[in-house]
């Protein structure tokens, strides 16, 4: 049985899960933020469907309410952002305010991503590296439209000084640039 004083257990309870459900998730291997990050949002939906459809789980008092699942996805989104920005994803920091903030932020991000799928044309795939200069500007335009200014995502562009570099096996990123600058 999982320790009820576990920091991760407390974060799951703040997401709205009852103790038996939080214990079950920890017992099944989602025991810290690192293992939570291994589960995609689709995986979390699959776990919830499996738990809610199984009479065996219902007998144990394990259930996953819709809003708790959304908050768990917000928890995952928060942990992902912590790791991406170089902070430790400490479950104690994921307090009640963070639950609401990151659940809302995730919903906004998903709505934005869904709208961009339809609104912006991806650049045509690059077929030869000699056409990089022609491909570079449409790629930058697409990425600057797709990524928001507060995404905190750095984009690394590979820039070749001349064609000889294209043929060599050694190349390095020569500059870093944000999507919006």
């Amino acid at each position: 049985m999982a320790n009820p004083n576990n920091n991760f257990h407390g974060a799951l309870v703040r997401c709205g899960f009852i103790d038996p459900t939080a214990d079950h998730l920890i017992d099944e291997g989602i025991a810290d933020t690192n293992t939570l990050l291994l589960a995609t949002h689709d995986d979390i939906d699959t776990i919830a469907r499996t738990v809610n459809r199984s009479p065996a789980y219902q007998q144990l008092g394990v259930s996953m309410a819709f809003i708790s699942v959304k908050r768990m996805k917000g928890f995952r989104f928060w942990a992902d952002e912590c790791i991406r920005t170089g902070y430790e994803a400490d479950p104690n920091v994921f307090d009640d305010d963070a639950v609401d903030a990151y659940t809302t932020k995730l919903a906004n991000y998903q709505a934005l991503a869904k709208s961009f799928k339809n609104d912006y044309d991806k650049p045509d795939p690059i077929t030869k590296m000699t056409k990089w200069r022609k491909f570079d500007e449409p790629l930058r335009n697409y990425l600057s439209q797709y990524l928001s200014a507060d995404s905190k995502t750095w984009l690394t562009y590979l820039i070749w000084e001349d064609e000889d570099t294209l043929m060599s096996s050694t190349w390095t990123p020569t500059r870093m640039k944000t999507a919006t600058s």
Side-chain angles (χ1 to χ4, degrees):
M1 189 104 181
N3 180 357
N5 296 323
N6 182 313
N7 298 337
F8 189 76
H9 182 278
L12 292 174
V13 170
R14 285 189 294 279
C15 288
F17 293 111
I18 57 176
D19 284 331
T21 304
D23 290 339
H24 172 72
L25 289 168
I26 291 170
D27 291 343
E28 289 296 317
I30 302 177
D32 57 28
T33 52
N34 291 328
T35 54
L36 176 62
L37 288 171
L38 295 175
T40 65
H41 292 270
D42 290 338
D43 293 337
I44 294 170
D45 286 335
T46 301
I47 293 167
R49 272 193 306 276
T50 302
V51 165
N52 290 334
R53 290 180 181 168
S54 171
Y57 290 117
Q58 293 170 3
Q59 289 175 352
L60 296 172
V62 174
S63 65
M64 296 181 76
F66 175 76
I67 194 68
S68 298
V69 172
K70 286 189 83 63
R71 288 177 175 169
M72 183 179 183
K73 290 178 184 179
F75 182 27
R76 187 197 180 286
F77 186 71
W78 168 84
D80 189 38
E81 185 167 303
C82 286
I83 300 298
R84 187 169 35 90
T85 56
Y87 294 100
E88 180 183 355
D90 180 2
N92 285 330
V93 177
F94 191 69
D95 58 11
D96 292 332
D97 293 335
V99 170
D100 294 334
Y102 278 90
T103 301
T104 302
K105 191 171 183 177
L106 173 61
N108 293 341
Y109 176 79
Q110 288 173 330
L112 182 67
K114 185 177 181 182
S115 71
F116 281 129
K117 280 184 182 178
N118 301 328
D119 290 356
Y120 297 105
D121 293 327
K122 291 182 183 177
D124 293 330
I126 189 166
T127 55
K128 294 180 182 177
M129 291 310 294
T130 55
K131 296 182 180 181
W132 173 258
R133 287 185 177 88
K134 210 178 222 186
F135 176 75
D136 183 45
E137 186 175 349
L139 174 67
R140 288 180 196 215
N141 289 336
Y142 172 72
L143 292 175
S144 67
Q145 292 169 350
Y146 189 75
L147 297 173
S148 64
D150 67 342
S151 69
K152 301 176 188 166
T153 302
W154 285 85
L155 302 175
T156 302
Y157 294 101
L158 303 176
I159 308 294
W160 288 274
E161 299 298 326
D162 54 44
E163 287 192 26
D164 293 339
T165 309
L166 291 174
M167 303 308 163
S168 73
S169 61
T170 59
W171 50 267
T172 59
T174 56
R175 67 179 168 166
M176 292 184 75
K177 189 171 183 168
T178 62
T180 56
S181 57

